[in-house]
Amino acid sequence: MGSEWIRDFLQAEDDVLALTVAGDQFTVEGTAHLEWECDSFGLKHVFMNGRVGEIYLEPVANDACRTNENKAGRGPWLAPFSVTGRFDGGLPDALEVHLEGRFIRGDGPRGGAYTRQEF
């Protein structure tokens, strides 16, 4: 998670994903909306669909700060993040990244942020 969080009440900023691949390493970078300032992004699952690798990310709630006493922590917040990984066994034909959550909007198959790269 990056440190340049922005409170975005009107969700005027877009949720963005970018994917880079170098050798057997990949990096997903982006900015996306979280409901509370203490939440984070986490890996939901990774799997192969034929020769296409699919990575699913989602917001992870931190219930410790989601309280009525912490009203200032409620957003939505636009937060930068980065996820790195390594291909084990060679490159797939394509890699897809899906980011879904309550405040995340985009052109993905299920409405969340989405990017795909062919190799």
Side-chain angles (χ1 to χ4, degrees), residues 4-76:
E4 300 287 327
W5 290 50
I6 299 169
R7 192 174 230 156
D8 188 15
F9 284 117
L10 301 178
Q11 288 190 266
E13 300 292 328
D14 292 332
D15 298 301
V16 177
L17 288 176
L19 176 62
T20 56
V21 176
D24 68 347
Q25 305 277 327
F26 66 86
T27 303
V28 179
E29 295 179 295
T31 55
H33 288 88
L34 292 167
E35 186 175 3
W36 289 80
E37 69 177 333
C38 58
D39 292 347
S40 61
F41 294 104
L43 188 63
K44 183 175 181 183
H45 61 261
V46 178
F47 67 93
M48 290 297 293
N49 184 3
R51 293 279 310 149
V52 177
E54 296 182 10
I55 300 170
Y56 287 83
L57 308 170
E58 67 181 10
V60 176
N62 179 352
D63 292 332
C65 79
R66 291 171 156 245
T67 66
N68 289 334
E69 292 78 35
N70 185 23
K71 291 183 174 80
R74 190 154 194 179

Side-chain angles (χ1 to χ4, degrees), residues 23-26 48 50-51 53 85-93 119:
D24 68 347
Q25 305 277 327
F26 66 86
M48 290 297 293
R51 293 279 310 149
R86 182 176 59 83
F87 298 111
D88 188 14
L91 291 176
D93 291 338
F119 303 112

